[in-house]
Amino acid sequence: MKKTPLCAVHEALGARMVEFGGWYMPVQYSSIIDEHQAVRTKVGLFDLFHMGEFWLNGPTAMKTLQKIVCQDIEALSDRQIAYTPMCRPDGTIIDDLLVYRWSMNKYLLVVNASNIDKDFRWIESQLEGNVKLENRSSTMGLIAIQGPFAQEILQKLTRQNLKAIKYYWFTGGKVKGIECIISRTGYTGEDGFELYFEHEHCEILWKNLMEAGKDYGIKPIGLGARDTLRLEARLMLYGNDIHDSTTPIEANLDWTVKMAKGPFTGSDILKKQKESGVQKTLVGFELDKGPAARHGYTIFKNGKKIGEVTSGTFSPTLQKNIGLGYVTPDLKAIGSTFDIDIRGKMYKATVIPTPFYMRPGQKK
Amino acid sequence: MNPTNCKYTKDHEWARIEGKIAIIGISEFASKQLGDVVFVDVPQVGTELVKGKTLGVVESVKTVSDIFAPLSGKVIERNAALEGEPAKVNEDPFGSGWMIKIELSDPGEVSDLMDVKEYEEHCAHSEH
């Protein structure tokens, strides 16, 4: 089992540690609901050391990316970030990742921890021309600060003008004297930043951020609240909502699929799906009062099995049970209903708009 | 603190026996392991429970966990307050977070349960 350099820090904070995708990780410190509310109303700190980071470098780096991901990387400016699926020729999703354009010929790819090896092998096999792929996952630290006070707190530790960094943009700069990539991104639905840096600085950065946030009520946040936060914001979890046998069109990630850029891996199938429709589509639903629908539960309509729940939880913000699941496309309209088998009993679910939660002032 | 007037199971249920009646819930250890409880499903009044069999479920934000009947008997009351305030299971697991009352069908089963001292030793072994 792999350990983050902050393992001892988490244990000292009283975290309950669990194994997650081969990593020994904090699942919660105080309570999932407490931690969730801290991020929604104040600020929270996440150790995301487990995430994977690759550098792609060379004159044909952009050409390679244009071929392997769905987003239009050529349309990015330097210091801009794209969220994108990466597909196989049959359109199914290998992973979803962030592409950071450092410069025309240099990119940082941030991939899911559980997919590091798979992604590396795939991308390596797709390289064309003069380009080098480097896996920096085990030497790059990642800490996220998320919540309404994130900017104010982080600003105390850096000279970079954080206000000038727009959503899904980044800059290089020092935080408490440590060279970082400072990125206005996150996986919570709140405003916030993610910091990438050399792993030996994990502890000093964590401690300084905790200290700077003390008066704001900063809390360390475990994987439990990370999951409820991202689900409320309808952010995909690879392995649940998207995986080896779903496509971006089925997952309603059409906005990441840029057909206009020209052919790319999987584009033939995705185009066909966009034009002539899909067999299954990912919808958000709420349940009446009662038990929660969980990952893997079966969805029925008129007694016939039609799909599966991919994520489900009690939503601390909405105070009701919410979830995502694949259903037949005839049920995608808001207000459609279906039944979910929860331990042998059927419970009615209703399709509702997603994201389930949007922060005040956020645009769709 | 685990009350001394309760008996315990290895699955972290407790039973407080008053004559032929037992009040049943889950222990503080269990409620802490689960985290924030958001739903409790217990059987209707009149249901016959068999010791060791599932009597219901308790859901936290993260997980679903079975509750096992510590003793056999008929359900005579359920804690209706848990429907609106399941968090009572975290706040007061041995008090207002109780789940059901049953009328024992075999009071002899009580001797199979652990006393507080045995239970605390059991918890010490369960913790990692």
Side-chain angles (χ1 to χ4, degrees):
Chain A
M1 201 158 41
K2 287 177 260 185
K3 286 187 176 181
T4 146
L6 288 168
C7 194
V9 173
H10 300 315
E11 284 173 342
L13 284 164
R16 172 127 45 92
M17 307 290 285
V18 294
E19 201 210 314
F20 174 81
W23 285 85
Y24 188 58
M25 301 279 291
V27 65
Q28 69 172 66
Y29 300 82
S30 52
S31 107
I32 292 178
I33 292 179
D34 270 7
E35 292 165 30
H36 184 105
Q37 303 298 21
V39 174
R40 287 274 177 262
T41 61
K42 294 171 184 166
V43 64
L45 205 59
F46 301 73
D47 171 20
L48 304 174
F49 184 81
H50 62 295
M51 296 293 285
E53 294 91 4
F54 306 156
W55 281 106
L56 191 67
N57 218 328
T60 55
M62 184 197 284
K63 195 176 159 214
T64 301
L65 286 170
Q66 282 296 68
K67 183 181 69 172
I68 64 173
V69 304
C70 300
Q71 279 272 20
D72 187 357
I73 301 305
E74 203 174 341
L76 292 180
S77 303
D78 287 353
R79 305 291 190 267
Q80 198 178 2
I81 305 159
Y83 166 80
T84 183
M86 175 169 71
C87 296
R88 296 183 184 78
D90 68 358
T92 58
I93 303 172
I94 297 169
D95 201 2
D96 61 339
L97 54 146
L98 294 180
V99 176
Y100 287 67
R101 175 170 155 154
W102 187 270
S103 66
M104 174 94 128
N105 297 333
K106 188 177 175 187
Y107 299 84
L108 173 68
L109 313 182
V110 181
V111 305
N112 285 299
S114 53
N115 289 337
I116 291 173
D117 295 339
K118 177 177 81 171
D119 290 356
F120 192 85
R121 279 197 305 271
W122 173 257
I123 298 169
E124 205 176 30
S125 75
Q126 298 298 308
L127 298 180
E128 266 177 45
N130 188 4
V131 61
K132 203 178 126 214
L133 179 70
E134 189 190 357
N135 182 359
R136 290 289 312 281
S137 304
S138 56
T139 58
M140 215 170 185
L142 171 53
I143 290 174
I145 181 168
Q146 301 276 301
F149 298 139
Q151 181 179 302
E152 209 173 319
I153 294 165
L154 185 59
Q155 192 65 76
K156 295 204 283 183
L157 303 179
T158 181
R159 280 191 186 163
Q160 295 292 328
N161 179 14
L162 297 179
K163 232 175 158 172
I165 305 172
K166 288 178 283 185
Y167 188 54
Y168 267 69
W169 290 70
F170 70 99
T171 185
K174 283 186 173 161
V175 177
K176 199 67 192 177
I178 296 155
E179 202 57 57
C180 290
I181 289 173
I182 306 170
S183 153
R184 194 163 212 139
T185 45
Y187 194 52
T188 62
E190 293 303 325
D191 185 25
F193 295 86
E194 294 181 303
L195 306 175
Y196 302 83
F197 47 86
E198 290 297 327
H199 68 299
E200 62 264 28
H201 304 304
C202 271
E203 204 165 324
I204 184 99
L205 267 175
W206 178 272
K207 288 191 167 155
N208 274 287
L209 286 161
M210 285 294 277
E211 184 59 34
K214 215 164 99 184
D215 295 341
Y216 298 82
I218 198 168
K219 282 191 177 179
I221 314 295
L223 289 179
R226 182 165 160 83
D227 190 48
T228 53
L229 288 159
R230 70 90 197 166
L231 182 53
E232 284 184 350
R234 200 196 195 272
L235 297 165
M236 299 288 99
L237 174 59
Y238 192 90
N240 282 32
D241 312 307
I242 51 175
H243 48 78
D244 286 320
S245 54
T246 58
T247 74
I249 306 299
E250 291 163 346
N252 281 308
L253 292 172
D254 303 45
W255 63 275
T256 64
V257 180
K258 299 290 170 22
M259 296 299 179
K261 76 172 179 175
F264 57 93
T265 310
S267 61
D268 289 352
I269 303 275
L270 300 181
K271 202 170 171 194
K272 225 175 270 170
Q273 285 192 339
K274 229 174 161 162
E275 282 162 8
S276 46
V278 287
Q279 302 295 312
K280 59 179 178 184
T281 186
L282 190 66
V283 296
F285 61 81
E286 67 175 19
L287 286 160
D288 296 340
K289 228 168 150 35
R294 311 271 176 178
H295 174 59
Y297 289 7
T298 307
I299 299 175
F300 289 85
K301 183 72 185 178
N302 301 325
K304 200 177 139 223
K305 184 185 163 177
I306 54 137
E308 206 169 85
V309 175
T310 57
S311 289
T313 188
F314 174 78
S315 157
T317 307
L318 306 173
Q319 291 287 308
K320 62 185 175 192
N321 293 318
I322 58 166
L324 295 171
Y326 283 99
V327 297
T328 46
D330 56 309
L331 294 172
K332 73 174 178 196
I334 307 298
S336 302
T337 60
F338 44 78
D339 303 310
I340 299 175
D341 180 348
I342 303 180
R343 296 180 290 275
K345 246 170 96 180
M346 293 294 179
Y347 291 85
K348 195 180 102 185
T350 307
V351 176
I352 61 170
T354 52
F356 302 102
Y357 165 85
M358 278 201 291
R359 66 178 176 272
Q362 188 188 0
K363 284 187 222 102
K364 228 177 185 174
Chain B
M1 276 299 279
N2 298 300
T4 52
N5 64 350
C6 290
K7 299 283 194 177
Y8 300 87
T9 69
K10 63 174 175 35
D11 301 309
H12 308 285
E13 292 89 12
W14 57 262
R16 194 162 58 238
I17 292 110
E18 296 170 356
K20 284 197 73 179
I21 308 294
I23 305 167
I24 291 166
I26 64 166
S27 71
E28 187 176 358
F29 180 92
S31 81
K32 280 195 171 148
Q33 288 290 310
L34 280 166
D36 302 304
V37 172
V38 293
F39 179 69
V40 180
D41 194 9
V42 293
Q44 300 296 328
V45 169
T47 309
E48 291 285 350
L49 302 182
V50 179
K51 177 172 175 269
K53 299 275 187 214
T54 306
L55 78 81
V57 295
V58 54
E59 288 198 26
S60 65
V61 176
K62 199 75 197 140
T63 58
V64 184
S65 187
D66 284 322
I67 315 164
F68 298 98
L71 297 161
S72 303
K74 186 159 74 173
V75 179
I76 54 168
E77 196 181 335
R78 55 212 295 264
N79 185 358
L82 295 184
E83 265 173 49
E85 291 174 273
K88 282 181 186 289
V89 175
N90 298 111
E91 291 154 11
D92 191 12
F94 295 106
S96 62
W98 68 277
M99 291 176 177
I100 49 168
K101 274 185 202 175
I102 66 169
E103 193 178 281
L104 299 177
S105 58
D106 182 3
E109 289 175 346
V110 173
S111 61
D112 298 341
L113 300 178
M114 288 183 262
D115 64 22
V116 70
K117 193 165 161 279
E118 291 166 320
Y119 177 63
E120 280 171 3
E121 275 167 26
H122 171 68
C123 288
H125 288 293
S126 307
E127 230 153 2
H128 305 292

